[in-house]
Amino acid sequence: MSHAHTNLRRVPVQQRSADRLARILDAGAALLDEAGYEQLSTRAVADRAGVPIGSVYRFFPNKRALVDALAERNLEAYARRVVARLEGIPEREWRAAIDAVLDEYLAMKRSVPGFALVDFGPPVPAAGPLDEEVNRLVAGRLTELLSGHLGRGRDGAPADARLLRTVLVCVQAADALLQLAFRADPAGDPDLIAETRVLLQAYLSRILD
């Protein structure tokens, strides 16, 4: 299932346009790390990407739309990384699958430009209905990717609604805990990350053991 390009004014058709869009997003990500969201401007993005300002506006009406597209690209990249990891994990090995999901998020948080401020949604810290909507989106995507590994609940209920609700609780809890971990330590407080891992596995064991 493709989720790409839903935030663009114009979807690139030619490779040259796709490459230009990638440069614009890369520039935005780098500037987020350097200056933060408030100081980000479409002019600075254009200058960093080496493109005319009109090229930025061809794809995005403003910087918020650009950041939304960057968040969407991050989610696509995360999904690909999770899929690659899951290919090496036998089905129903749910603990290893959850470890992979968490480990790939941590790896992106530490290495992907702009991800520390904008992972899959609005610039952090953010709270409220939009933040919850993003977590629902992430939970839905992870439920799709993990369904083969997580299977059915102990009572035999299908893995759709119940699993989705369970994964949503995990995403919401992990989001809050990992924000705390990365505020405490730029690389992520290892003790808080370890507690997050314990919490996720303990909660999921209620229906998966």
Side-chain angles (χ1 to χ4, degrees), residues 29 32-33 70 74 105 108-120 122-125 178-179 182-183 186:
L32 282 169
D33 281 343
L70 181 61
N74 286 341
Y105 179 84
M108 292 184 71
K109 192 82 168 177
R110 292 164 177 153
S111 65
V112 173
F115 196 88
L117 191 62
V118 176
D119 49 15
F120 310 128
V124 296
L178 293 176
Q179 284 190 41
F182 281 88
R183 284 198 298 269

Side-chain angles (χ1 to χ4, degrees), residues 29-206:
L31 289 167
L32 282 169
D33 281 343
E34 294 172 15
Y37 179 74
E38 294 303 323
Q39 299 303 314
L40 184 70
S41 70
T42 51
R43 169 61 66 186
V45 170
D47 290 345
R48 176 64 63 90
V51 301
I53 186 67
S55 293
V56 177
Y57 287 125
R58 188 171 296 120
F59 293 114
F60 307 110
N62 50 47
K63 70 176 184 179
R64 179 52 191 270
L66 188 154
V67 168
D68 286 345
L70 181 61
E72 189 173 29
R73 186 176 75 164
N74 286 341
L75 181 55
E76 291 302 311
Y78 179 59
R80 289 194 298 271
R81 292 172 69 137
V82 168
V83 167
R85 285 288 299 276
L86 293 179
E87 287 176 352
I89 300 173
E91 286 199 0
R92 304 306 173 93
E93 293 282 341
W94 69 267
R95 285 182 173 81
I98 294 303
D99 279 341
V101 166
L102 180 57
D103 289 343
E104 289 304 318
Y105 179 84
L106 294 172
M108 292 184 71
K109 192 82 168 177
R110 292 164 177 153
S111 65
V112 173
F115 196 88
L117 191 62
V118 176
D119 49 15
F120 310 128
V124 296
L130 183 56
D131 191 43
E132 294 171 8
E133 180 182 329
V134 170
N135 282 339
R136 288 184 180 277
L137 174 65
V138 174
R141 196 70 186 278
L142 287 175
T143 300
E144 293 175 9
L145 300 179
L146 288 166
S147 58
H149 287 80
L150 302 186
R152 300 165 70 91
R154 185 162 36 190
D155 61 3
D160 45 39
R162 187 182 186 194
L163 180 59
L164 176 59
R165 183 173 64 250
T166 302
V167 173
L168 175 60
V169 170
C170 290
V171 168
Q172 192 76 27
D175 182 35
L177 287 169
L178 293 176
Q179 284 190 41
L180 179 62
F182 281 88
R183 284 198 298 269
D185 182 336
D189 182 280
D191 293 329
L192 287 173
I193 290 171
E195 293 295 335
T196 302
R197 198 180 302 273
V198 170
L199 182 147
L200 294 176
Q201 300 218 0
Y203 184 73
L204 284 165
S205 69
R206 298 164 55 251

